[in-house]
Amino acid sequence: MGGLLKISNLIDRFNQAVGHFVMWLVLAAVLISAGNAIMRKAFDLGSNAWLEIQWYLFSLVFLGAAGYTLKHNAHVRSDLLASRLSPRAQHWIDLFGHLFMLLPVSAIMLWFGWDAFLESYRIGEMSTDAGGLARWPIKVVVPAAFALLILQGLAETLRKIARLLELPPDGRT
């Protein structure tokens, strides 16, 4: 189990790095949005490509941060009842949720997201807006994000099992 927990820690570090990268994309989206608005209002110049870049960046931030958010236990959850339970019971609830909800749904999204990306790439899908961007590059974000979420879900699942077995969460025995 110690080796698996070390892998969990590697996954944590990877999703942490992805999360920090994604944070910079928020700044990029804000700057592009402001620049696009200034160009449109001040110079009557607009671009669908710049609008789509904003949407792409939002997608990257929203999807790319999913694993990071799970790592920090910051996903929306309803703890009204669970918060009154013992930590052990909470670990069991989390383990059940990871095994029977998070991981299967994420795997389905990865599967269908990959198919959607491949089809988009195959046909060279483009935006229907004038001056728009290619769509396939952003479509690869869906399976990539769910792959990161699955990895983090596996890391969290291993950690929950270790806690339930009363093993040290850092993998040391």
Side-chain angles (χ1 to χ4, degrees):
M1 189 74 178
L4 292 174
L5 289 172
K6 288 178 183 175
I7 292 170
S8 295
N9 292 335
L10 285 173
I11 293 169
D12 283 350
R13 286 197 295 276
F14 184 69
N15 268 316
Q16 186 72 21
V18 170
H20 283 273
F21 171 74
V22 165
M23 288 178 198
W24 286 103
L25 296 180
V26 174
L27 176 62
V30 168
L31 293 174
I32 289 170
S33 178
N36 198 28
I38 290 168
M39 294 301 289
R40 199 169 1 114
K41 297 294 182 185
F43 303 107
D44 199 28
L45 295 172
S47 167
N48 285 333
W50 285 107
L51 286 172
E52 289 184 13
I53 287 172
Q54 290 171 228
W55 300 335
Y56 285 15
L57 288 171
F58 175 76
S59 299
L60 282 164
V61 168
F62 182 78
L63 290 167
Y68 173 85
T69 305
L70 180 60
K71 177 192 177 302
H72 289 281
N73 199 24
H75 280 274
V76 175
R77 33 189 319 161
S78 53
D79 285 340
L80 184 63
L81 296 175
S83 64
R84 297 174 190 202
L85 300 174
S86 70
R88 187 167 180 80
Q90 290 176 15
H91 292 317
W92 276 110
I93 290 169
D94 287 343
L95 181 62
F96 177 84
H98 291 155
L99 291 174
F100 296 105
M101 291 187 232
L102 173 72
L103 293 172
V105 170
S106 295
I108 290 167
M109 293 300 294
L110 177 110
W111 179 267
F112 286 107
W114 183 252
D115 282 349
F117 158 69
L118 288 177
E119 180 61 15
S120 182
Y121 180 78
R122 185 187 70 75
I123 65 173
E125 186 178 6
M126 294 292 295
S127 170
T128 56
D129 295 325
L133 303 174
R135 289 277 164 94
W136 65 265
I138 196 63
K139 286 194 175 183
V140 78
V141 172
V142 173
F146 280 99
L148 290 174
L149 188 56
I150 287 170
L151 284 174
Q152 192 63 45
L154 290 172
E156 297 300 319
T157 298
L158 290 170
R159 209 168 281 111
K160 294 296 176 187
I161 291 170
R163 286 186 182 130
L164 288 167
L165 294 173
E166 298 181 1
L167 298 173
D170 62 359
R172 294 189 182 119
T173 53

